[in-house]
Amino acid sequence: MMKWLIKAVDGLALVLYWISGFLLVVMMLSVVFDVVSRGLFAATDGNVDITFVGGIELVKYSLLFSMLCAFPYAVDKGQIVVDLFTQGWSDRTQRWTDGFYTLCFGIFGGLLCWRFALAGEEAEMSGELTQDLLMPMSPIYWVASFALAVLALRGVVSGLAQWVGPLKEANR
């Protein structure tokens, strides 16, 4: 059961990671298009106007979602460890410390998920919209909450798997 859960959560985190990469490309292209369109507008003294409203919001929300979608995949990879303090520790102690840190990161993701879910409910009740594009804010909060829920689940599962030990390596 645990192996199946780890594989399912890892697969979902990988899909979110791919989405994160796509959103980074979208963000980059929207910045390039916005800069080019503004430059063209300025160069032609306003005769050619292909500028668009909401470029800053597109970049802002693309960055938000690219980061939130990358977190679940990266939660157990490459955490910063100060080797000066941990080099003398046994492998078991290092594994337990890494597992504890990953588990805490998962709990933090769960708390953020809960807060974004509350914000989604409040935005849905109030009809809150984005400033430029006038999109409803509640779906933005719900998607962020989902990505953070995956982060929480993966952090907890990965942290516990690190405590168990070889089970994690068998699934990779």
Side-chain angles (χ1 to χ4, degrees), residues 7-162:
K7 281 188 173 191
V9 172
D10 285 351
L12 184 57
L14 184 60
V15 169
L16 288 176
Y17 192 64
W18 290 335
I19 292 170
S20 174
F22 173 75
L23 289 172
L24 283 174
V25 171
V26 167
M27 182 176 63
M28 178 195 65
L29 291 176
S30 63
V31 167
V32 167
F33 184 75
D34 192 37
V35 168
V36 168
S37 65
R38 289 174 189 265
L40 189 59
F41 181 79
T44 61
D45 291 328
N47 290 328
V48 178
D49 186 8
I50 56 172
T51 59
F52 61 98
V53 176
I56 293 173
E57 278 187 1
L58 287 175
V59 170
K60 178 170 69 172
Y61 293 120
S62 295
L63 178 62
L64 170 71
F65 290 128
S66 67
M67 290 180 63
L68 290 178
C69 289
F71 284 157
Y73 182 77
V75 72
D76 68 339
K77 294 174 178 41
Q79 303 298 340
I80 297 173
V81 177
V82 180
D83 290 335
L84 177 66
F85 298 113
T86 62
Q87 68 184 352
W89 294 358
S90 69
D91 288 341
R92 183 173 186 229
T93 304
Q94 288 180 7
R95 192 179 71 234
W96 272 77
T97 303
D98 290 344
F100 177 74
Y101 177 81
T102 306
L103 182 68
C104 289
F105 206 93
I107 292 168
F108 180 65
L111 293 171
L112 288 174
C113 169
W114 171 64
R115 184 59 195 117
F116 269 95
L118 289 178
E121 288 177 11
E122 292 171 6
E124 193 169 308
M125 288 190 294
S126 69
E128 182 182 357
L129 302 173
T130 62
Q131 182 176 353
D132 296 334
L133 297 174
L134 301 177
M135 296 177 358
M137 285 295 295
S138 58
I140 293 171
Y141 291 134
W142 290 117
V143 171
S145 182
F146 173 76
L148 288 164
V150 176
L151 168 65
L153 185 60
R154 186 139 194 277
V156 169
V157 168
S158 296
L160 293 176
Q162 284 176 323

